Amino acid sequence: QLQIVESGGGLVQSGGSLRLSCAVSGSTSDYGAIGWFRHSPGKEQEGVTCIHMNTSSTDYADSVKGRFTISRDASKNTVYLQMDSLKPEDTAVYYCAADHHYGFYDCSLMAVHYKSWGQGTRVTVSS
């Protein structure tokens, strides 16, 4: 029912910045939060950050706290991930997902709570 499209990935040098976009087509009543996840070969999937659609409550993985910022533009039904001070270990395919109304106030970084996923956008950080 929901269509999710990520964009904004690319190649950037260590210390640089990128902004990812997540465009969601569908009713906001069908989900309660948007999350960003990432995966690279040989590593487990990691919940990066999330934002609650009603409360704007956010959560961040310790690995990105202070460097990444999630935000949303309700009028465009779009969520953004601003990534600053990028490191080579941030290299991954980044996925945007919509959740199952996990919480009334908070969002979750656990993938099991998300029902709809985008195709991913690749981020490569060179040293």
Side-chain angles (χ1 to χ4, degrees), residues 13-16 63 67-68 84-91 125-126:
Q13 293 184 350
S14 180
S63 58
R67 300 187 298 118
F68 290 11
D84 298 321
S85 301
L86 283 163
K87 305 174 181 179
E89 50 263 45
D90 295 318
T91 296
V125 184
S126 62

Side-chain angles (χ1 to χ4, degrees), residues 2 4 22-36 49-59 70-81 96-108 114-115:
L2 296 176
I4 299 175
C22 173
V24 182
S25 298
S27 175
T28 55
S29 65
D30 292 332
Y31 58 99
I34 293 292
W36 284 97
T49 182
C50 62
I51 185 167
H52 198 280
M53 294 294 100
N54 293 324
T55 68
S56 296
S57 176
T58 61
D59 198 8
I70 190 170
S71 62
R72 67 183 179 95
D73 184 340
S75 66
K76 297 181 179 180
N77 211 26
T78 301
V79 171
Y80 302 98
L81 178 60
C96 182
D99 80 347
H100 288 269
H101 292 283
Y102 161 76
F104 288 106
Y105 307 106
D106 301 318
C107 60
S108 172
Y114 291 79
K115 63 180 179 181

